[in-house]
mmCIF file of all heavy atoms in Angstrom:
data_model
loop_
_atom_site.group_PDB
_atom_site.id
_atom_site.type_symbol
_atom_site.label_atom_id
_atom_site.label_comp_id
_atom_site.label_asym_id
_atom_site.label_seq_id
_atom_site.Cartn_x
_atom_site.Cartn_y
_atom_site.Cartn_z
ATOM 1 N N ALA A 1 58.141 28.314 219.728
ATOM 2 C CA ALA A 1 59.603 28.284 219.625
ATOM 3 C C ALA A 1 60.095 26.948 219.093
ATOM 4 O O ALA A 1 61.018 26.880 218.261
ATOM 5 C CB ALA A 1 60.224 28.550 220.990
ATOM 6 N N PHE A 2 59.450 25.852 219.516
ATOM 7 C CA PHE A 2 59.826 24.526 219.037
ATOM 8 C C PHE A 2 59.527 24.406 217.536
ATOM 9 O O PHE A 2 60.332 23.871 216.777
ATOM 10 C CB PHE A 2 59.095 23.450 219.816
ATOM 11 C CG PHE A 2 59.512 22.055 219.439
ATOM 12 C CD1 PHE A 2 60.751 21.548 219.828
ATOM 13 C CD2 PHE A 2 58.665 21.269 218.677
ATOM 14 C CE1 PHE A 2 61.133 20.283 219.457
ATOM 15 C CE2 PHE A 2 59.067 19.979 218.306
ATOM 16 C CZ PHE A 2 60.300 19.485 218.694
ATOM 17 N N ARG A 3 58.363 24.888 217.110
ATOM 18 C CA ARG A 3 58.029 24.844 215.679
ATOM 19 C C ARG A 3 59.044 25.635 214.860
ATOM 20 O O ARG A 3 59.457 25.210 213.792
ATOM 21 C CB ARG A 3 56.623 25.419 215.469
ATOM 22 C CG ARG A 3 55.528 24.461 215.769
ATOM 23 C CD ARG A 3 54.194 24.987 215.271
ATOM 24 N NE ARG A 3 53.131 24.085 215.642
ATOM 25 C CZ ARG A 3 52.017 24.428 216.258
ATOM 26 N NH1 ARG A 3 51.796 25.697 216.554
ATOM 27 N NH2 ARG A 3 51.111 23.534 216.561
ATOM 28 N N GLN A 4 59.440 26.808 215.347
ATOM 29 C CA GLN A 4 60.419 27.630 214.659
ATOM 30 C C GLN A 4 61.774 26.904 214.576
ATOM 31 O O GLN A 4 62.432 26.927 213.563
ATOM 32 C CB GLN A 4 60.574 28.997 215.335
ATOM 33 C CG GLN A 4 61.476 29.957 214.584
ATOM 34 C CD GLN A 4 60.947 30.278 213.198
ATOM 35 O OE1 GLN A 4 59.766 30.518 212.980
ATOM 36 N NE2 GLN A 4 61.852 30.268 212.221
ATOM 37 N N MET A 5 62.152 26.255 215.681
ATOM 38 C CA MET A 5 63.412 25.506 215.714
ATOM 39 C C MET A 5 63.370 24.395 214.665
ATOM 40 O O MET A 5 64.322 24.187 213.905
ATOM 41 C CB MET A 5 63.659 24.907 217.090
ATOM 42 C CG MET A 5 64.951 24.116 217.170
ATOM 43 S SD MET A 5 65.126 23.211 218.722
ATOM 44 C CE MET A 5 63.944 21.881 218.471
ATOM 45 N N LYS A 6 62.264 23.677 214.572
ATOM 46 C CA LYS A 6 62.127 22.572 213.598
ATOM 47 C C LYS A 6 62.191 23.118 212.175
ATOM 48 O O LYS A 6 62.807 22.523 211.288
ATOM 49 C CB LYS A 6 60.819 21.809 213.808
ATOM 50 C CG LYS A 6 60.732 21.024 215.098
ATOM 51 C CD LYS A 6 61.766 19.934 215.179
ATOM 52 C CE LYS A 6 61.430 18.821 214.230
ATOM 53 N NZ LYS A 6 62.436 17.736 214.233
ATOM 54 N N LYS A 7 61.569 24.268 211.950
ATOM 55 C CA LYS A 7 61.583 24.884 210.629
ATOM 56 C C LYS A 7 63.010 25.274 210.228
ATOM 57 O O LYS A 7 63.430 25.036 209.097
ATOM 58 C CB LYS A 7 60.678 26.135 210.654
ATOM 59 C CG LYS A 7 60.301 26.688 209.337
ATOM 60 C CD LYS A 7 59.358 27.879 209.574
ATOM 61 C CE LYS A 7 58.502 28.179 208.400
ATOM 62 N NZ LYS A 7 57.612 29.300 208.642
ATOM 63 N N ASN A 8 63.762 25.822 211.175
ATOM 64 C CA ASN A 8 65.148 26.190 210.919
ATOM 65 C C ASN A 8 66.003 24.966 210.656
ATOM 66 O O ASN A 8 66.876 24.994 209.797
ATOM 67 C CB ASN A 8 65.716 27.016 212.081
ATOM 68 C CG ASN A 8 65.091 28.381 212.183
ATOM 69 O OD1 ASN A 8 64.521 28.896 211.234
ATOM 70 N ND2 ASN A 8 65.193 28.977 213.365
ATOM 71 N N GLN A 9 65.783 23.888 211.404
ATOM 72 C CA GLN A 9 66.513 22.642 211.175
ATOM 73 C C GLN A 9 66.253 22.115 209.771
ATOM 74 O O GLN A 9 67.155 21.685 209.078
ATOM 75 C CB GLN A 9 66.104 21.582 212.194
ATOM 76 C CG GLN A 9 66.720 21.734 213.545
ATOM 77 C CD GLN A 9 66.248 20.636 214.489
ATOM 78 O OE1 GLN A 9 65.206 20.004 214.305
ATOM 79 N NE2 GLN A 9 67.019 20.411 215.539
ATOM 80 N N GLU A 10 65.001 22.166 209.348
ATOM 81 C CA GLU A 10 64.636 21.668 208.022
ATOM 82 C C GLU A 10 65.302 22.498 206.939
ATOM 83 O O GLU A 10 65.815 21.941 205.950
ATOM 84 C CB GLU A 10 63.108 21.706 207.869
ATOM 85 C CG GLU A 10 62.618 21.040 206.600
ATOM 86 C CD GLU A 10 61.108 21.005 206.524
ATOM 87 O OE1 GLU A 10 60.443 20.977 207.571
ATOM 88 O OE2 GLU A 10 60.605 21.000 205.390
ATOM 89 N N LYS A 11 65.337 23.830 207.107
ATOM 90 C CA LYS A 11 66.005 24.701 206.131
ATOM 91 C C LYS A 11 67.495 24.347 206.037
ATOM 92 O O LYS A 11 68.055 24.262 204.940
ATOM 93 C CB LYS A 11 65.852 26.176 206.532
ATOM 94 C CG LYS A 11 64.528 26.769 206.277
ATOM 95 C CD LYS A 11 64.538 28.229 206.722
ATOM 96 C CE LYS A 11 63.159 28.820 206.763
ATOM 97 N NZ LYS A 11 63.190 30.221 207.278
ATOM 98 N N PHE A 12 68.129 24.189 207.198
ATOM 99 C CA PHE A 12 69.537 23.864 207.216
ATOM 100 C C PHE A 12 69.804 22.523 206.520
ATOM 101 O O PHE A 12 70.708 22.396 205.702
ATOM 102 C CB PHE A 12 70.092 23.815 208.649
ATOM 103 C CG PHE A 12 71.504 23.320 208.722
ATOM 104 C CD1 PHE A 12 72.559 24.158 208.457
ATOM 105 C CD2 PHE A 12 71.776 22.005 209.071
ATOM 106 C CE1 PHE A 12 73.870 23.713 208.495
ATOM 107 C CE2 PHE A 12 73.071 21.529 209.120
ATOM 108 C CZ PHE A 12 74.134 22.397 208.837
ATOM 109 N N MET A 13 68.981 21.510 206.853
ATOM 110 C CA MET A 13 69.197 20.187 206.266
ATOM 111 C C MET A 13 69.010 20.206 204.756
ATOM 112 O O MET A 13 69.761 19.566 204.022
ATOM 113 C CB MET A 13 68.278 19.152 206.922
ATOM 114 C CG MET A 13 68.690 18.801 208.327
ATOM 115 S SD MET A 13 70.427 18.280 208.510
ATOM 116 C CE MET A 13 70.450 16.784 207.555
ATOM 117 N N LYS A 14 68.017 20.933 204.278
ATOM 118 C CA LYS A 14 67.820 21.023 202.824
ATOM 119 C C LYS A 14 68.994 21.724 202.160
ATOM 120 O O LYS A 14 69.512 21.251 201.136
ATOM 121 C CB LYS A 14 66.506 21.766 202.507
ATOM 122 C CG LYS A 14 65.279 20.919 202.668
ATOM 123 C CD LYS A 14 64.045 21.666 202.285
ATOM 124 C CE LYS A 14 62.816 20.801 202.466
ATOM 125 N NZ LYS A 14 61.587 21.486 202.136
ATOM 126 N N ALA A 15 69.467 22.828 202.741
ATOM 127 C CA ALA A 15 70.622 23.559 202.180
ATOM 128 C C ALA A 15 71.848 22.692 202.212
ATOM 129 O O ALA A 15 72.649 22.681 201.267
ATOM 130 C CB ALA A 15 70.844 24.848 202.965
ATOM 131 N N PHE A 16 72.017 21.920 203.268
ATOM 132 C CA PHE A 16 73.194 21.061 203.428
ATOM 133 C C PHE A 16 73.128 19.902 202.451
ATOM 134 O O PHE A 16 74.066 19.674 201.669
ATOM 135 C CB PHE A 16 73.247 20.535 204.865
ATOM 136 C CG PHE A 16 74.368 19.563 205.156
ATOM 137 C CD1 PHE A 16 75.641 20.022 205.418
ATOM 138 C CD2 PHE A 16 74.130 18.192 205.179
ATOM 139 C CE1 PHE A 16 76.665 19.125 205.693
ATOM 140 C CE2 PHE A 16 75.134 17.298 205.446
ATOM 141 C CZ PHE A 16 76.415 17.764 205.702
ATOM 142 N N LEU A 17 72.073 19.151 202.445
ATOM 143 C CA LEU A 17 71.988 17.930 201.652
ATOM 144 C C LEU A 17 71.904 18.194 200.146
ATOM 145 O O LEU A 17 72.412 17.418 199.357
ATOM 146 C CB LEU A 17 70.792 17.082 202.102
ATOM 147 C CG LEU A 17 70.910 16.505 203.502
ATOM 148 C CD1 LEU A 17 69.609 15.842 203.924
ATOM 149 C CD2 LEU A 17 72.086 15.524 203.596
ATOM 150 N N GLN A 18 71.251 19.277 199.745
ATOM 151 C CA GLN A 18 71.046 19.529 198.332
ATOM 152 C C GLN A 18 72.075 20.479 197.707
ATOM 153 O O GLN A 18 71.996 20.776 196.524
ATOM 154 C CB GLN A 18 69.633 20.075 198.106
ATOM 155 C CG GLN A 18 68.582 19.064 198.496
ATOM 156 C CD GLN A 18 67.158 19.609 198.406
ATOM 157 O OE1 GLN A 18 66.934 20.725 197.969
ATOM 158 N NE2 GLN A 18 66.197 18.813 198.833
ATOM 159 N N ASN A 19 73.065 20.887 198.483
ATOM 160 C CA ASN A 19 74.092 21.801 197.976
ATOM 161 C C ASN A 19 74.945 21.087 196.921
ATOM 162 O O ASN A 19 75.266 19.925 197.055
ATOM 163 C CB ASN A 19 74.980 22.286 199.134
ATOM 164 C CG ASN A 19 75.681 23.569 198.792
ATOM 165 O OD1 ASN A 19 76.368 23.661 197.787
ATOM 166 N ND2 ASN A 19 75.526 24.545 199.664
ATOM 167 N N ALA A 20 75.305 21.826 195.869
ATOM 168 C CA ALA A 20 76.132 21.249 194.797
ATOM 169 C C ALA A 20 77.600 21.126 195.217
ATOM 170 O O ALA A 20 78.359 20.397 194.593
ATOM 171 C CB ALA A 20 76.028 22.111 193.541
ATOM 172 N N LEU A 21 78.013 21.859 196.247
ATOM 173 C CA LEU A 21 79.386 21.777 196.735
ATOM 174 C C LEU A 21 79.503 20.658 197.766
ATOM 175 O O LEU A 21 78.588 20.451 198.563
ATOM 176 C CB LEU A 21 79.797 23.107 197.389
ATOM 177 C CG LEU A 21 79.896 24.321 196.468
ATOM 178 C CD1 LEU A 21 80.134 25.587 197.274
ATOM 179 C CD2 LEU A 21 80.973 24.114 195.425
ATOM 180 N N PRO A 22 80.637 19.963 197.772
ATOM 181 C CA PRO A 22 80.830 18.921 198.802
ATOM 182 C C PRO A 22 80.845 19.522 200.188
ATOM 183 O O PRO A 22 81.587 20.492 200.448
ATOM 184 C CB PRO A 22 82.200 18.322 198.446
ATOM 185 C CG PRO A 22 82.526 18.809 197.082
ATOM 186 C CD PRO A 22 81.752 20.047 196.856
ATOM 187 N N MET A 23 80.023 18.985 201.083
ATOM 188 C CA MET A 23 79.900 19.497 202.426
ATOM 189 C C MET A 23 79.924 18.356 203.430
ATOM 190 O O MET A 23 79.428 17.251 203.124
ATOM 191 C CB MET A 23 78.603 20.303 202.614
ATOM 192 C CG MET A 23 78.498 21.518 201.747
ATOM 193 S SD MET A 23 76.914 22.382 201.984
ATOM 194 C CE MET A 23 77.215 23.143 203.568
ATOM 195 N N GLY A 24 80.473 18.636 204.599
ATOM 196 C CA GLY A 24 80.466 17.650 205.675
ATOM 197 C C GLY A 24 80.268 18.315 207.013
ATOM 198 O O GLY A 24 80.594 19.493 207.187
ATOM 199 N N LEU A 25 79.741 17.572 207.936
ATOM 200 C CA LEU A 25 79.574 18.037 209.323
ATOM 201 C C LEU A 25 80.307 17.010 210.182
ATOM 202 O O LEU A 25 80.035 15.830 210.115
ATOM 203 C CB LEU A 25 78.093 18.097 209.716
ATOM 204 C CG LEU A 25 77.774 18.656 211.081
ATOM 205 C CD1 LEU A 25 78.185 20.127 211.185
ATOM 206 C CD2 LEU A 25 76.275 18.503 211.383
ATOM 207 N N ALA A 26 81.295 17.514 210.953
ATOM 208 C CA ALA A 26 82.115 16.632 211.788
ATOM 209 C C ALA A 26 82.161 17.113 213.204
ATOM 210 O O ALA A 26 82.050 18.314 213.476
ATOM 211 C CB ALA A 26 83.540 16.562 211.230
ATOM 212 N N SER A 27 82.282 16.179 214.132
ATOM 213 C CA SER A 27 82.451 16.523 215.536
ATOM 214 C C SER A 27 83.831 17.170 215.716
ATOM 215 O O SER A 27 84.831 16.681 215.183
ATOM 216 C CB SER A 27 82.392 15.232 216.380
ATOM 217 O OG SER A 27 82.872 15.462 217.671
ATOM 218 N N HIS A 28 83.878 18.274 216.435
ATOM 219 C CA HIS A 28 85.168 18.922 216.655
ATOM 220 C C HIS A 28 85.988 18.137 217.685
ATOM 221 O O HIS A 28 87.213 18.143 217.637
ATOM 222 C CB HIS A 28 84.985 20.359 217.102
ATOM 223 C CG HIS A 28 86.263 21.168 217.129
ATOM 224 N ND1 HIS A 28 87.052 21.306 216.013
ATOM 225 C CD2 HIS A 28 86.887 21.794 218.134
ATOM 226 C CE1 HIS A 28 88.115 22.024 216.345
ATOM 227 N NE2 HIS A 28 88.049 22.339 217.610
ATOM 228 N N ARG A 29 85.316 17.455 218.583
ATOM 229 C CA ARG A 29 85.993 16.702 219.643
ATOM 230 C C ARG A 29 86.917 15.618 219.067
ATOM 231 O O ARG A 29 88.060 15.512 219.432
ATOM 232 C CB ARG A 29 84.947 16.086 220.591
ATOM 233 C CG ARG A 29 85.516 15.339 221.763
ATOM 234 C CD ARG A 29 84.429 14.832 222.710
ATOM 235 N NE ARG A 29 83.188 14.429 222.105
ATOM 236 C CZ ARG A 29 82.968 13.248 221.529
ATOM 237 N NH1 ARG A 29 83.885 12.328 221.522
ATOM 238 N NH2 ARG A 29 81.781 12.978 221.000
ATOM 239 N N ASP A 30 86.363 14.812 218.142
ATOM 240 C CA ASP A 30 87.183 13.689 217.614
ATOM 241 C C ASP A 30 87.377 13.737 216.108
ATOM 242 O O ASP A 30 88.087 12.878 215.553
ATOM 243 C CB ASP A 30 86.583 12.353 218.025
ATOM 244 C CG ASP A 30 85.162 12.145 217.544
ATOM 245 O OD1 ASP A 30 84.669 12.937 216.706
ATOM 246 O OD2 ASP A 30 84.511 11.181 218.020
ATOM 247 N N GLY A 31 86.767 14.696 215.415
ATOM 248 C CA GLY A 31 86.948 14.829 213.980
ATOM 249 C C GLY A 31 86.139 13.863 213.140
ATOM 250 O O GLY A 31 86.260 13.844 211.920
ATOM 251 N N CYS A 32 85.285 13.064 213.782
ATOM 252 C CA CYS A 32 84.486 12.094 213.025
ATOM 253 C C CYS A 32 83.337 12.772 212.297
ATOM 254 O O CYS A 32 82.679 13.646 212.866
ATOM 255 C CB CYS A 32 83.904 11.023 213.957
ATOM 256 S SG CYS A 32 85.153 9.883 214.580
ATOM 257 N N PHE A 33 83.123 12.350 211.056
ATOM 258 C CA PHE A 33 82.008 12.886 210.304
ATOM 259 C C PHE A 33 80.694 12.429 210.909
ATOM 260 O O PHE A 33 80.509 11.266 211.195
ATOM 261 C CB PHE A 33 82.067 12.429 208.834
ATOM 262 C CG PHE A 33 83.047 13.191 207.991
ATOM 263 C CD1 PHE A 33 84.239 12.602 207.625
ATOM 264 C CD2 PHE A 33 82.786 14.469 207.575
ATOM 265 C CE1 PHE A 33 85.153 13.273 206.839
ATOM 266 C CE2 PHE A 33 83.695 15.170 206.806
ATOM 267 C CZ PHE A 33 84.894 14.576 206.440
ATOM 268 N N ILE A 34 79.777 13.392 211.055
ATOM 269 C CA ILE A 34 78.412 13.112 211.507
ATOM 270 C C ILE A 34 77.548 12.861 210.273
ATOM 271 O O ILE A 34 76.708 11.963 210.258
ATOM 272 C CB ILE A 34 77.828 14.311 212.306
ATOM 273 C CG1 ILE A 34 78.747 14.670 213.463
ATOM 274 C CG2 ILE A 34 76.416 14.021 212.772
ATOM 275 C CD1 ILE A 34 78.987 13.589 214.471
ATOM 276 N N ASP A 35 77.768 13.670 209.236
ATOM 277 C CA ASP A 35 77.023 13.519 207.990
ATOM 278 C C ASP A 35 77.791 14.225 206.873
ATOM 279 O O ASP A 35 78.616 15.102 207.137
ATOM 280 C CB ASP A 35 75.618 14.110 208.130
ATOM 281 C CG ASP A 35 74.625 13.548 207.119
ATOM 282 O OD1 ASP A 35 75.031 12.701 206.264
ATOM 283 O OD2 ASP A 35 73.455 13.939 207.174
ATOM 284 N N VAL A 36 77.519 13.821 205.642
ATOM 285 C CA VAL A 36 78.036 14.479 204.441
ATOM 286 C C VAL A 36 76.914 14.538 203.418
ATOM 287 O O VAL A 36 75.963 13.783 203.503
ATOM 288 C CB VAL A 36 79.257 13.728 203.857
ATOM 289 C CG1 VAL A 36 80.465 13.788 204.768
ATOM 290 C CG2 VAL A 36 78.907 12.294 203.519
ATOM 291 N N ASN A 37 77.043 15.469 202.467
ATOM 292 C CA ASN A 37 75.978 15.556 201.478
ATOM 293 C C ASN A 37 76.296 14.694 200.265
ATOM 294 O O ASN A 37 77.374 14.088 200.158
ATOM 295 C CB ASN A 37 75.718 17.018 201.080
ATOM 296 C CG ASN A 37 76.870 17.671 200.331
ATOM 297 O OD1 ASN A 37 77.915 17.095 200.117
ATOM 298 N ND2 ASN A 37 76.648 18.919 199.952
ATOM 299 N N ASP A 38 75.361 14.608 199.351
ATOM 300 C CA ASP A 38 75.498 13.741 198.188
ATOM 301 C C ASP A 38 76.641 14.204 197.263
ATOM 302 O O ASP A 38 77.310 13.383 196.652
ATOM 303 C CB ASP A 38 74.198 13.683 197.368
ATOM 304 C CG ASP A 38 73.100 12.911 198.102
ATOM 305 O OD1 ASP A 38 73.448 12.140 199.038
ATOM 306 O OD2 ASP A 38 71.919 13.078 197.762
ATOM 307 N N ALA A 39 76.882 15.508 197.176
ATOM 308 C CA ALA A 39 77.988 16.031 196.371
ATOM 309 C C ALA A 39 79.330 15.513 196.915
ATOM 310 O O ALA A 39 80.219 15.126 196.123
ATOM 311 C CB ALA A 39 77.972 17.545 196.324
ATOM 312 N N PHE A 40 79.470 15.453 198.202
ATOM 313 C CA PHE A 40 80.676 14.906 198.827
ATOM 314 C C PHE A 40 80.877 13.457 198.397
ATOM 315 O O PHE A 40 81.970 13.048 198.015
ATOM 316 C CB PHE A 40 80.582 15.026 200.346
ATOM 317 C CG PHE A 40 81.779 14.483 201.113
ATOM 318 C CD1 PHE A 40 82.683 15.375 201.646
ATOM 319 C CD2 PHE A 40 81.962 13.137 201.290
ATOM 320 C CE1 PHE A 40 83.808 14.895 202.347
ATOM 321 C CE2 PHE A 40 83.066 12.651 201.978
ATOM 322 C CZ PHE A 40 83.991 13.533 202.523
ATOM 323 N N LEU A 41 79.818 12.686 198.482
ATOM 324 C CA LEU A 41 79.891 11.258 198.127
ATOM 325 C C LEU A 41 80.175 11.050 196.654
ATOM 326 O O LEU A 41 81.014 10.228 196.267
ATOM 327 C CB LEU A 41 78.582 10.555 198.517
ATOM 328 C CG LEU A 41 78.232 10.588 200.007
ATOM 329 C CD1 LEU A 41 76.835 10.032 200.239
ATOM 330 C CD2 LEU A 41 79.277 9.867 200.840
#
């Protein structure tokens, strides 16, 4: 289960970071960005 979780995390991170569209991940509690992809930057 842990290996599968890591595999899923890696897929998400690749899709997030390498996406051509600007993307960001922010905390809903305070609205602070946790991470953004290169297209956003």
Side-chain angles (χ1 to χ4, degrees):
F2 184 74
R3 280 191 183 129
Q4 186 61 43
M5 179 189 74
K6 293 298 288 178
K7 195 178 203 180
N8 291 340
Q9 282 179 339
E10 187 176 332
K11 284 180 191 176
F12 173 80
M13 287 307 295
K14 282 183 180 179
F16 177 82
L17 293 172
Q18 296 175 5
N19 201 307
L21 294 173
M23 298 178 74
L25 184 64
S27 165
H28 190 58
R29 182 176 34 83
D30 59 12
C32 289
F33 282 106
I34 305 300
D35 202 358
V36 293
N37 67 357
D38 290 342
F40 180 103
L41 299 172

